[in-house]
Amino acid sequence: MLILGAGEVHRVLDDAEGEVVAAVRRAYLLHERGRTALPHSVFLRFPDDPRNRIIGLPAYLGEDEPVAGIKWIASFPGNTARRLERASAAVILNSMATGQPEVLLEGSVISARRTAASAALAAATLGSSVPETGVSLIGCGVIGFEILAYLRAVLPDLDTVTVFDLDSARAEAFAARCRARWPELKTEAADSAEEALAAHRLVCLATTAAAPHLTTDACRPGTLVLHVSLRDLTPESILTAVNVVDDADHVCRESTSLHLAEQLRGDRDFIVTSIGAVLDAGKPFRRAEDRVTVFSPFGLGTLDLALADLVRRRAEPLGLGTRAPDFLPPPTDTAVG
């Protein structure tokens, strides 16, 4: 067993936005072409504790050298008060020859980067008639910061960011961090979610909301909303938008905004296409100028596998990681009859 901790994962993925976006793009295309296996994620919830959950995302990615494994990710929002990150995760990769677990990776960095790369890829793919020069980030956590880093990598004209969080001190600290990292980027904190929604035609929602609390009424026509956290927008707003998803079967469950919209309407006809289909078509996608477009990615486990495999392949030649040779039981001489 090869064990790769957070520092080693960072060493591989830091400053590798191009490779990460390419890996996510490839995973979406393989999924669109039927070369993945993707059971529904398993949500472990706790009696009398609705805020916390642990999710298991098993997946198979059928590349030339196929990959199978699972991400096990916990979301405990109360961790922030303990000076811990909200999310923690591990990824296990299994041998396709024996099924044995081969690699254990710290997964929160992988999860954050694949989420950011997915959002950035959507922003670059679901194009506007004019260059994107500003973005509004609602939710000032780890994911929001990673998304901004990846948006800057794929949108060269981006020069302004507006941030909002229900915790104003958190928003100001986030803005200060952005200014320190990118001093050339004009960064400002909005006084309300509505102000942030109206500020730019590119909006990212990355909150811990458990139920819809926002409409798109304040958005400009032609806005693209990267609905990363999946439960921010009212079902009525979803039904009036042009909706792009990563996988309709996965995103229309677990009381996401799209699941609620499906229940309200009685079908999924409000979903126009998937990001994989857009990429596979190979033609420019121009979003509607008179409506809001919403990208709602459930967060497919195949993306986690794509990045975990990238880390594994880059780490081994660098001598990174710790080997645990006695992790598995030794071979036996028992004959198979």
mmCIF file of all heavy atoms in Angstrom, residues 19 27 45 62 85 98 144 146 150-151 169 175 189 203 206 225 231 236 243 253 317 324-325:
data_model
loop_
_atom_site.group_PDB
_atom_site.id
_atom_site.type_symbol
_atom_site.label_atom_id
_atom_site.label_comp_id
_atom_site.label_asym_id
_atom_site.label_seq_id
_atom_site.Cartn_x
_atom_site.Cartn_y
_atom_site.Cartn_z
ATOM 1 N N GLU A 19 -3.031 20.683 -16.051
ATOM 2 C CA GLU A 19 -3.134 19.221 -16.010
ATOM 3 C C GLU A 19 -4.413 18.767 -15.319
ATOM 4 O O GLU A 19 -5.051 17.793 -15.741
ATOM 5 C CB GLU A 19 -1.927 18.632 -15.280
ATOM 6 C CG GLU A 19 -0.668 18.511 -16.095
ATOM 7 C CD GLU A 19 0.395 17.725 -15.346
ATOM 8 O OE1 GLU A 19 0.996 18.313 -14.427
ATOM 9 O OE2 GLU A 19 0.611 16.539 -15.664
ATOM 10 N N ALA A 27 -12.229 12.945 -17.973
ATOM 11 C CA ALA A 27 -13.173 12.133 -17.206
ATOM 12 C C ALA A 27 -14.612 12.391 -17.650
ATOM 13 O O ALA A 27 -15.420 11.455 -17.763
ATOM 14 C CB ALA A 27 -13.015 12.418 -15.714
ATOM 15 N N ARG A 45 -25.919 9.619 7.101
ATOM 16 C CA ARG A 45 -26.417 10.709 7.946
ATOM 17 C C ARG A 45 -26.631 10.177 9.359
ATOM 18 O O ARG A 45 -26.678 8.966 9.588
ATOM 19 C CB ARG A 45 -27.707 11.285 7.368
ATOM 20 C CG ARG A 45 -27.528 11.829 5.939
ATOM 21 C CD ARG A 45 -28.795 12.504 5.452
ATOM 22 N NE ARG A 45 -28.724 12.883 4.041
ATOM 23 C CZ ARG A 45 -28.165 13.986 3.583
ATOM 24 N NH1 ARG A 45 -27.624 14.846 4.433
ATOM 25 N NH2 ARG A 45 -28.145 14.249 2.288
ATOM 26 N N GLY A 62 -12.798 4.078 -17.188
ATOM 27 C CA GLY A 62 -12.301 3.128 -18.174
ATOM 28 C C GLY A 62 -11.352 3.732 -19.179
ATOM 29 O O GLY A 62 -11.641 3.763 -20.373
ATOM 30 N N GLU A 85 -10.835 22.322 8.985
ATOM 31 C CA GLU A 85 -11.557 22.439 7.722
ATOM 32 C C GLU A 85 -12.892 21.702 7.818
ATOM 33 O O GLU A 85 -13.000 20.655 8.481
ATOM 34 C CB GLU A 85 -10.733 21.864 6.568
ATOM 35 C CG GLU A 85 -9.424 22.592 6.308
ATOM 36 C CD GLU A 85 -9.637 24.023 5.829
ATOM 37 O OE1 GLU A 85 -10.778 24.382 5.482
ATOM 38 O OE2 GLU A 85 -8.655 24.791 5.813
ATOM 39 N N THR A 98 -6.310 -7.504 -9.124
ATOM 40 C CA THR A 98 -6.641 -8.310 -7.947
ATOM 41 C C THR A 98 -7.780 -7.738 -7.119
ATOM 42 O O THR A 98 -8.312 -8.428 -6.238
ATOM 43 C CB THR A 98 -5.412 -8.447 -7.034
ATOM 44 O OG1 THR A 98 -5.095 -7.150 -6.482
ATOM 45 C CG2 THR A 98 -4.215 -8.982 -7.808
ATOM 46 N N GLY A 144 -14.401 27.964 -2.539
ATOM 47 C CA GLY A 144 -14.477 29.239 -3.246
ATOM 48 C C GLY A 144 -13.109 29.753 -3.651
ATOM 49 O O GLY A 144 -12.929 30.263 -4.763
ATOM 50 N N GLU A 146 -10.337 27.950 -4.127
ATOM 51 C CA GLU A 146 -9.796 27.088 -5.183
ATOM 52 C C GLU A 146 -10.460 27.393 -6.525
ATOM 53 O O GLU A 146 -9.801 27.423 -7.579
ATOM 54 C CB GLU A 146 -9.989 25.622 -4.826
ATOM 55 C CG GLU A 146 -9.183 25.149 -3.634
ATOM 56 C CD GLU A 146 -7.696 25.043 -3.928
ATOM 57 O OE1 GLU A 146 -7.279 25.271 -5.084
ATOM 58 O OE2 GLU A 146 -6.933 24.739 -2.997
ATOM 59 N N TYR A 150 -8.672 28.550 -10.138
ATOM 60 C CA TYR A 150 -8.842 27.850 -11.415
ATOM 61 C C TYR A 150 -9.532 28.724 -12.453
ATOM 62 O O TYR A 150 -9.227 28.628 -13.651
ATOM 63 C CB TYR A 150 -9.591 26.534 -11.193
ATOM 64 C CG TYR A 150 -8.648 25.407 -10.816
ATOM 65 C CD1 TYR A 150 -8.141 25.302 -9.523
ATOM 66 C CD2 TYR A 150 -8.242 24.471 -11.757
ATOM 67 C CE1 TYR A 150 -7.256 24.309 -9.179
ATOM 68 C CE2 TYR A 150 -7.364 23.458 -11.421
ATOM 69 C CZ TYR A 150 -6.865 23.379 -10.134
ATOM 70 O OH TYR A 150 -5.974 22.389 -9.813
ATOM 71 N N LEU A 151 -10.445 29.575 -12.028
ATOM 72 C CA LEU A 151 -11.055 30.507 -12.976
ATOM 73 C C LEU A 151 -9.998 31.430 -13.569
ATOM 74 O O LEU A 151 -10.017 31.730 -14.770
ATOM 75 C CB LEU A 151 -12.143 31.331 -12.283
ATOM 76 C CG LEU A 151 -13.448 30.604 -11.960
ATOM 77 C CD1 LEU A 151 -14.359 31.515 -11.145
ATOM 78 C CD2 LEU A 151 -14.169 30.153 -13.244
ATOM 79 N N ALA A 169 -17.169 38.824 8.659
ATOM 80 C CA ALA A 169 -15.748 38.756 9.005
ATOM 81 C C ALA A 169 -15.046 37.713 8.138
ATOM 82 O O ALA A 169 -13.900 37.911 7.704
ATOM 83 C CB ALA A 169 -15.576 38.420 10.481
ATOM 84 N N ALA A 175 -11.469 38.095 1.316
ATOM 85 C CA ALA A 175 -11.057 39.150 0.387
ATOM 86 C C ALA A 175 -9.600 39.532 0.609
ATOM 87 O O ALA A 175 -8.836 39.742 -0.343
ATOM 88 C CB ALA A 175 -11.970 40.368 0.546
ATOM 89 N N ALA A 189 -15.863 43.147 -1.104
ATOM 90 C CA ALA A 189 -16.880 42.371 -0.403
ATOM 91 C C ALA A 189 -18.230 43.053 -0.563
ATOM 92 O O ALA A 189 -18.352 44.274 -0.383
ATOM 93 C CB ALA A 189 -16.524 42.239 1.073
ATOM 94 N N VAL A 203 -21.171 33.932 -11.730
ATOM 95 C CA VAL A 203 -21.452 33.816 -10.302
ATOM 96 C C VAL A 203 -21.152 32.384 -9.866
ATOM 97 O O VAL A 203 -21.499 31.433 -10.567
ATOM 98 C CB VAL A 203 -22.927 34.151 -9.980
ATOM 99 C CG1 VAL A 203 -23.243 33.885 -8.511
ATOM 100 C CG2 VAL A 203 -23.249 35.584 -10.358
ATOM 101 N N ALA A 206 -20.890 28.494 -3.578
ATOM 102 C CA ALA A 206 -20.187 27.410 -2.900
ATOM 103 C C ALA A 206 -20.394 27.579 -1.401
ATOM 104 O O ALA A 206 -19.514 28.038 -0.673
ATOM 105 C CB ALA A 206 -18.708 27.406 -3.252
ATOM 106 N N VAL A 225 -24.398 30.863 -13.665
ATOM 107 C CA VAL A 225 -24.287 30.555 -12.242
ATOM 108 C C VAL A 225 -23.670 29.174 -12.109
ATOM 109 O O VAL A 225 -24.230 28.184 -12.591
ATOM 110 C CB VAL A 225 -25.657 30.590 -11.538
ATOM 111 C CG1 VAL A 225 -25.492 30.215 -10.058
ATOM 112 C CG2 VAL A 225 -26.295 31.963 -11.664
ATOM 113 N N ARG A 231 -27.692 23.343 -3.463
ATOM 114 C CA ARG A 231 -28.922 23.523 -2.686
ATOM 115 C C ARG A 231 -29.201 24.992 -2.385
ATOM 116 O O ARG A 231 -29.971 25.291 -1.481
ATOM 117 C CB ARG A 231 -28.842 22.718 -1.386
ATOM 118 C CG ARG A 231 -28.824 21.212 -1.628
ATOM 119 C CD ARG A 231 -28.575 20.420 -0.353
ATOM 120 N NE ARG A 231 -28.625 18.986 -0.624
ATOM 121 C CZ ARG A 231 -27.609 18.268 -1.105
ATOM 122 N NH1 ARG A 231 -26.453 18.878 -1.354
ATOM 123 N NH2 ARG A 231 -27.740 16.988 -1.344
ATOM 124 N N GLU A 236 -37.979 27.208 -8.275
ATOM 125 C CA GLU A 236 -38.581 28.110 -9.264
ATOM 126 C C GLU A 236 -37.504 28.780 -10.116
ATOM 127 O O GLU A 236 -37.668 28.945 -11.336
ATOM 128 C CB GLU A 236 -39.435 29.160 -8.569
ATOM 129 C CG GLU A 236 -40.700 28.612 -7.902
ATOM 130 C CD GLU A 236 -40.425 27.975 -6.539
ATOM 131 O OE1 GLU A 236 -39.281 28.076 -6.038
ATOM 132 O OE2 GLU A 236 -41.365 27.376 -5.975
ATOM 133 N N ASN A 243 -30.499 24.928 -17.902
ATOM 134 C CA ASN A 243 -29.799 24.085 -16.946
ATOM 135 C C ASN A 243 -28.858 23.095 -17.624
ATOM 136 O O ASN A 243 -29.265 22.331 -18.506
ATOM 137 C CB ASN A 243 -30.803 23.321 -16.082
ATOM 138 C CG ASN A 243 -31.522 24.216 -15.107
ATOM 139 O OD1 ASN A 243 -30.977 24.603 -14.082
ATOM 140 N ND2 ASN A 243 -32.758 24.580 -15.445
ATOM 141 N N ARG A 253 -31.335 14.157 -6.979
ATOM 142 C CA ARG A 253 -31.581 13.328 -5.790
ATOM 143 C C ARG A 253 -31.072 14.061 -4.558
ATOM 144 O O ARG A 253 -30.460 15.116 -4.667
ATOM 145 C CB ARG A 253 -30.931 11.946 -5.928
ATOM 146 C CG ARG A 253 -29.436 11.966 -6.120
ATOM 147 C CD ARG A 253 -28.887 10.589 -6.520
ATOM 148 N NE ARG A 253 -29.057 9.610 -5.484
ATOM 149 C CZ ARG A 253 -28.086 9.224 -4.634
ATOM 150 N NH1 ARG A 253 -26.890 9.770 -4.721
ATOM 151 N NH2 ARG A 253 -28.322 8.314 -3.719
ATOM 152 N N PRO A 317 7.387 8.455 -9.461
ATOM 153 C CA PRO A 317 8.741 8.767 -9.946
ATOM 154 C C PRO A 317 9.487 9.752 -9.045
ATOM 155 O O PRO A 317 10.717 9.780 -9.047
ATOM 156 C CB PRO A 317 8.485 9.389 -11.328
ATOM 157 C CG PRO A 317 7.127 8.949 -11.727
ATOM 158 C CD PRO A 317 6.361 8.812 -10.453
ATOM 159 N N ALA A 324 3.525 0.848 2.953
ATOM 160 C CA ALA A 324 3.121 0.003 4.080
ATOM 161 C C ALA A 324 3.065 -1.434 3.559
ATOM 162 O O ALA A 324 2.009 -1.940 3.167
ATOM 163 C CB ALA A 324 1.763 0.445 4.617
ATOM 164 N N PRO A 325 4.210 -2.128 3.515
ATOM 165 C CA PRO A 325 4.254 -3.452 2.882
ATOM 166 C C PRO A 325 3.432 -4.507 3.605
ATOM 167 O O PRO A 325 3.052 -5.518 3.006
ATOM 168 C CB PRO A 325 5.749 -3.803 2.913
ATOM 169 C CG PRO A 325 6.322 -2.966 4.008
ATOM 170 C CD PRO A 325 5.518 -1.704 4.035
#
